[in-house]
Amino acid sequence: MGRVFLFWSPLKPSINLYSEHHTRKIEMSSLCRLIRRTLSTATTATATDSTKAKSFCKEIYKERNLEQLVEKFKIASVDEDFRTKPSVYKEAVRRLAAARKFNYVEEILEDQKQYKDISKEGFNAHLISLYGSAGMFDNARKVFDEMLERNCAQTVVSFNALLGACVNSKKFDEAEGLFKGLSKELDIEPDLVSYNTVLKAFCEMGSMDSAVTLLDEMEKKGLEADLITFNTLLHGFYAKGRFVDGERIWEQMKEKNVEPDVRSYNAKLLGLTLEKRMEDAVKVVEEMKSEGIQLDTFSYSTLIRGFVNERDLKKAKHWYHEIGRSGCKRDKLTLEGLIPFALQKGDFMFAYGICKDVLCSKLLVQNALIQSVVDALAKESRMEAAKELVNLGDEHHTYSYKLNLPSI
């Protein structure tokens, strides 16, 4: 039936389900407020202007041809109201970067420099963050350096955007030098967002002792660690297999009356599964429920992975069904480990059920995995189920699976 994927890479799930969101949260909250404050033309824009901007956004969201998307974006950018819509900028850059069309990212963002907004720090900080989200740190640094040429103030806001771009571009080893050197050069006093961003860089590099030292430095400067600070450290320690240190940070968080959220608990769940303490992981889930904290995709996926690695199909099935009842999305990596595990355990109908869920949704997994289930069902004389998967594969509305019914 093919081998089971006995996987556990602590960094994989964190990148997909935790780190990206977490890093963006560090840098975007104050930045978005500044963008809206400095760019908003709500008091003078007419209803017609607003309607035009919405129409531009709609066109860009639905455009499938990336070259046409770029042209439409540049045309739309002439509209002042359109330039106050961070979400459409973010989505356009995301799509272009995902397609590795970095020249297109540069084209639409460099085009923004012709507008008067470029004299405002918020607009520059937004461009810097967008370049960072595309992993284009050199471009982000260029925007930052050009601010002086435009007589645009460089404060901690644009400085933090640059730090965030550095981390999002995975230039973790450069973050500390930027943090210490540039802040001193420009006489900028780093704030909590600055420290949290560099903490993230240290944790991603596995430099946990440096992260703790930075935490001490931050507190000596009178900056109170917040939930983002602690979640960054918790995830860093637990994901690196340093469970005892993670528990120490947890206690420190509680002592400072910072209440853990779902990300805090997810970090602990990850740590427990790495320690192969699945009973304790389930107890943590019960604690989450008693505290009124809703489990998310990461929570369920961590439990499923843990029980797969413990070779416990019954409990892996239980949590698979729980995630279905919860309404949370199932993630691709977890299912690509669960399907072959179910086949190896001889539970063909469970494997069939997973594949059916995949084919009836927008979720994509490897074609070969679903084909292996079709083959197993046919071999077990469950031809109706095998045929159903083949038909569903043809009808899948996101991606047409190429499934073949074997002749037995």
Side-chain angles (χ1 to χ4, degrees):
M1 290 299 107
R3 63 188 180 86
V4 175
F5 295 111
L6 290 181
F7 56 97
W8 189 283
S9 171
L11 294 181
K12 279 280 187 181
S14 67
I15 290 171
N16 290 337
L17 301 172
Y18 179 92
S19 293
E20 183 179 352
H21 176 88
H22 194 61
T23 302
R24 286 175 179 168
K25 187 174 179 180
I26 290 173
E27 66 192 51
M28 289 305 293
S29 56
S30 60
L31 175 57
C32 283
R33 285 195 297 271
L34 183 67
I35 292 166
R36 291 190 179 98
R37 186 168 67 248
T38 57
L39 302 184
S40 176
T41 56
T43 56
T44 57
T46 65
T48 302
D49 291 333
S50 180
T51 302
K52 186 194 298 183
K54 288 179 181 177
S55 177
F56 281 138
C57 291
K58 186 176 180 180
E59 282 294 313
I60 289 165
Y61 278 125
K62 72 179 185 180
E63 180 58 64
R64 298 295 92 188
N65 182 292
L66 296 183
E67 187 174 357
Q68 287 297 313
L69 183 151
V70 170
E71 290 307 311
K72 288 182 178 181
F73 198 98
K74 289 162 66 178
I75 292 169
S77 297
V78 175
D79 182 75
E80 190 172 0
D81 197 36
F82 175 83
R83 298 197 301 274
T84 69
K85 310 294 183 187
S87 59
V88 71
Y89 278 73
K90 179 179 175 182
E91 176 62 14
V93 169
R94 184 198 67 78
R95 287 180 55 196
L96 295 172
R100 304 192 66 77
K101 297 291 186 180
F102 301 111
N103 58 320
Y104 285 170
V105 173
E106 186 172 27
E107 187 173 344
I108 64 171
L109 296 187
E110 291 300 305
D111 184 65
Q112 306 301 307
K113 294 179 180 179
Q114 65 180 293
Y115 301 111
K116 63 181 182 179
D117 305 315
I118 200 65
S119 65
K120 301 170 184 176
E121 185 182 22
F123 196 74
N124 282 274
H126 189 207
L127 296 183
I128 290 166
S129 294
L130 288 167
Y131 270 129
S133 69
M136 301 170 68
F137 178 68
D138 290 342
N139 295 72
R141 181 62 194 260
K142 184 171 180 282
V143 173
F144 183 83
D145 291 341
E146 288 172 347
M147 290 174 68
L148 287 177
E149 299 171 14
R150 305 185 189 103
N151 295 318
C152 183
Q154 293 170 317
T155 74
V156 72
V157 174
S158 50
F159 174 70
N160 286 342
L162 186 62
L163 275 178
C166 185
V167 173
N168 282 332
S169 299
K170 303 190 186 305
K171 293 184 177 291
F172 306 123
D173 56 338
E174 295 183 26
E176 184 182 14
L178 198 65
F179 173 71
K180 292 182 176 178
L182 191 59
S183 62
K184 186 176 181 181
E185 178 186 333
L186 300 177
D187 195 26
I188 292 173
E189 185 66 32
D191 62 8
L192 181 59
V193 174
S194 316
Y195 277 95
N196 281 345
T197 305
V198 180
L199 275 175
K200 179 68 178 174
F202 282 140
C203 291
E204 289 289 349
M205 290 191 295
S207 302
M208 300 309 301
D209 294 336
S210 296
V212 172
T213 300
L214 191 66
L215 176 65
D216 293 338
E217 177 188 320
M218 181 181 82
E219 293 183 333
K220 285 176 184 176
K221 292 199 173 212
L223 294 171
E224 286 290 330
D226 64 1
L227 183 59
I228 291 174
T229 311
F230 284 115
N231 279 349
T232 301
L233 290 167
L234 287 172
H235 193 266
F237 278 118
Y238 285 132
K240 300 296 187 298
R242 293 176 60 173
F243 188 82
V244 174
D245 290 316
E247 291 292 271
R248 179 172 54 80
I249 295 296
W250 187 280
E251 288 305 313
Q252 192 174 341
M253 177 175 67
K254 298 291 281 186
E255 286 169 9
K256 291 184 177 292
N257 296 315
V258 177
E259 289 300 317
D261 66 358
V262 66
R263 292 183 184 84
S264 317
Y265 279 103
N266 282 345
K268 181 174 279 198
L269 282 176
L270 179 57
L272 287 167
T273 52
L274 287 172
E275 294 278 305
K276 299 186 177 181
R277 293 167 53 181
M278 295 309 298
E279 287 186 12
D280 289 332
V282 173
K283 289 178 183 176
V284 167
V285 168
E286 295 305 315
E287 182 182 338
M288 291 171 71
K289 291 178 179 178
S290 68
E291 294 291 332
I293 295 175
Q294 295 288 327
L295 277 71
D296 62 12
T297 296
F298 189 99
S299 317
Y300 289 109
S301 297
T302 301
L303 290 166
I304 294 168
R305 289 159 174 260
F307 283 118
V308 167
N309 285 345
E310 289 293 290
R311 316 293 293 143
D312 191 332
L313 181 61
K314 181 178 179 181
K315 290 179 180 175
K317 284 176 67 174
H318 169 77
W319 289 107
Y320 177 82
H321 293 311
E322 283 294 307
I323 195 172
R325 283 188 282 268
S326 74
C328 292
K329 294 181 180 179
R330 301 176 174 97
D331 79 283
K332 175 178 181 286
L333 190 61
T334 300
L335 298 188
E336 289 186 345
L338 188 56
I339 291 170
F341 179 52
L343 289 181
Q344 190 180 72
K345 286 289 189 177
D347 197 332
F348 305 110
M349 294 312 291
F350 177 50
Y352 156 78
I354 299 173
C355 292
K356 189 173 178 181
D357 289 340
V358 168
L359 295 171
C360 290
S361 71
K362 292 184 179 181
L363 190 64
L364 300 176
V365 300
Q366 296 175 42
N367 190 91
L369 282 177
I370 299 184
Q371 183 63 57
S372 69
V373 176
V374 172
D375 294 344
L377 290 169
K379 188 174 180 180
E380 292 294 314
S381 300
R382 301 177 187 268
M383 294 303 295
E384 288 303 312
K387 288 177 184 176
E388 184 177 7
L389 292 185
V390 171
N391 292 334
L392 286 172
D394 292 336
E395 297 168 4
H396 195 276
H397 52 273
T398 302
Y399 171 76
S400 181
Y401 286 89
K402 295 177 173 53
L403 303 173
N404 300 306
L405 194 66
S407 53
I408 303 298

